[in-house]
Amino acid sequence: MQFLSSLMCGFPCYLISGTGTDEDAVLMLLTARSNDQRQEIKAAYKKAYGKDLVSALKSELGGLFESLIVALMTPTVSYDASQLHKALKGAGTDDDVLIEILPSRTGEHVQEIVKVYKKGKFSLLEKDICSDTSGHYQRLLVILLQVEMAAAGKTYDLYAAGEDKFGTDEETFITILGNRSAEHLRRVFDAYRKLSGSDIEDSIKGETTGNLENLMLAVVKCVKSIPEFFAERLYKSMRRAGTDDDTLMRIMVSRSEVDMLDIRASFKKMYGVSLYTTIQVHLTYGEYQKVVVSLSLKKTVKFKPVGYVN
């Protein structure tokens, strides 16, 4: 069996052998480290053995456990870019991925995604979005790709565009919701409630439908509370007929170093049961379950949160 001496942990860790893989060692070594540290481990493995660690893992592992470990070994921005590319290419468009990722990342992070997307085996992200979407839904997605904040707009403009007219002025809604200042938008939403007597979410549900409605609601939820946004998505991913493993993995991988403690607290508050318990009940896939549980218990928040900022 080969040995990989990690500069991060200070002791030799069993990893991969020609006759099989010590999956517990893989789990222990990789889930206990940050993404930056995993990239260093990957580089150290290449230097020591002349092989790509991800390729080696893929040849030894399988199923959901393999998919989750490979995702953990991917740089954060590259992972987001690959998920968006996967959502946009192939038969149909996975709008849930677009609606999850673009509203919940900062403008700066999205711009890094755009750069990586272009440098990879992909085309331009905006071009792919425009090829696969249309109308006001497309318009808001494109706005969310921009670093510059959209015009903030006035509370009355929102009211006049929705509650106070026959039909909806979607363009006004889109322009205002495209503003990435959470602090400003929270004030707009509070003032909107006082002016109209209803929450902005209720107006969106009453005035729009389909993907546009879902995207607008995602933007509002992320402005109000990103942890609650992801807690809800995690809950739904494990409450359908069969677990939505793609959504579950994507969230656990992308948020484990960002705000998992807050997501756990929001999950317990919203649903009266812990995220840990829910994972154990709904996931029964051995090592895959262990990795997801390990990610849910992460306590260290090393990096600046990826999401709307005040």
Side-chain angles (χ1 to χ4, degrees):
M1 181 171 287
Q2 294 179 346
F3 294 87
L4 179 62
S5 199
S6 169
L7 298 175
M8 279 40 112
C9 63
F11 60 88
C13 302
Y14 293 96
L15 194 59
I16 301 173
S17 74
T19 57
T21 300
D22 187 338
E23 295 184 344
D24 284 336
V26 172
L27 190 159
M28 178 185 70
L29 176 63
L30 300 182
T31 62
R33 302 304 187 272
S34 70
N35 191 279
D36 281 353
Q37 289 172 331
R38 289 192 288 269
Q39 303 315 309
E40 293 186 47
I41 291 172
K42 187 163 61 176
Y45 187 91
K46 182 69 173 285
K47 184 176 181 180
Y49 303 112
K51 299 178 181 179
D52 177 63
L53 178 55
V54 174
S55 296
L57 288 168
K58 290 173 71 174
S59 69
E60 295 286 339
L61 306 177
L64 293 170
F65 182 52
E66 175 194 329
S67 298
L68 185 49
I69 291 298
V70 170
L72 288 171
M73 294 303 298
T74 307
T76 305
V77 175
S78 297
Y79 179 67
D80 279 347
S82 68
Q83 291 298 296
L84 289 169
H85 182 258
K86 180 181 176 182
L88 290 163
K89 293 301 180 180
T93 302
D94 191 341
D95 293 289
D96 284 346
V97 176
L98 305 181
I99 290 168
E100 176 189 305
I101 291 179
L102 294 182
S104 65
R105 274 51 166 180
T106 62
E108 291 79 8
H109 185 86
V110 169
Q111 285 305 295
E112 290 302 312
I113 293 174
V114 170
K115 292 177 183 177
V116 169
Y117 195 98
K118 183 179 179 180
K119 289 180 180 178
K121 298 178 182 180
F122 315 142
S123 58
L124 297 176
L125 180 54
E126 182 174 336
K127 178 182 177 181
D128 284 350
I129 286 176
C130 290
S131 295
D132 273 40
T133 62
S134 61
H136 295 293
Y137 173 57
Q138 177 194 97
R139 167 76 171 144
L140 183 51
L141 287 170
V142 170
I143 287 177
L144 293 173
L145 290 179
Q146 314 307 313
V147 172
E148 297 81 7
M149 293 187 295
K154 299 178 182 178
T155 305
Y156 183 76
D157 291 338
L158 268 180
Y159 179 67
E163 296 279 349
D164 198 37
K165 66 176 294 183
F166 182 77
T168 304
D169 181 359
E170 288 91 349
E171 190 66 28
T172 299
F173 266 83
I174 289 169
T175 300
I176 294 174
L177 293 179
N179 172 29
R180 284 186 174 273
S181 170
E183 182 179 5
H184 172 82
L185 283 174
R186 289 187 195 111
R187 291 198 300 267
V188 170
F189 297 160
D190 287 342
Y192 184 89
R193 187 187 306 111
K194 294 177 182 178
L195 179 64
S196 68
S198 61
D199 289 330
I200 186 67
E201 296 99 312
D202 295 329
S203 295
I204 290 173
K205 291 175 183 178
E207 300 290 337
T208 60
T209 59
N211 287 326
L212 178 61
E213 175 187 338
N214 293 333
L215 180 57
M216 285 183 172
L217 289 174
V219 171
V220 172
K221 290 175 182 178
C222 286
V223 166
K224 290 188 173 183
S225 174
I226 287 180
E228 289 185 7
F229 172 72
F230 283 112
E232 179 183 8
R233 291 187 70 84
L234 282 172
Y235 181 80
K236 289 181 177 179
S237 76
M238 291 181 280
R239 289 292 175 178
R240 298 171 180 172
T243 303
D244 181 353
D245 292 294
D246 288 340
T247 297
L248 178 64
M249 280 193 278
R250 191 170 56 248
I251 295 173
M252 299 307 296
V253 170
S254 65
R255 309 310 295 188
S256 62
E257 295 174 36
V258 181
D259 51 5
M260 188 52 65
L261 281 175
D262 293 332
I263 291 172
R264 281 165 48 191
S266 294
F267 194 98
K268 182 66 178 290
K269 180 180 179 181
M270 293 165 68
Y271 303 111
V273 62
S274 70
L275 177 59
Y276 174 84
T277 299
T278 304
I279 290 170
Q280 287 193 313
V281 169
H282 290 276
L283 273 65
T284 58
Y285 305 120
E287 300 300 331
Y288 171 62
Q289 183 205 63
K290 290 180 182 178
V291 176
V292 176
V293 167
S294 179
L295 293 174
S296 75
L297 296 176
K298 268 187 173 290
K299 296 181 179 179
T300 302
V301 179
K302 180 180 178 182
F303 303 107
K304 178 181 177 181
V306 180
Y308 281 86
V309 293
N310 291 338

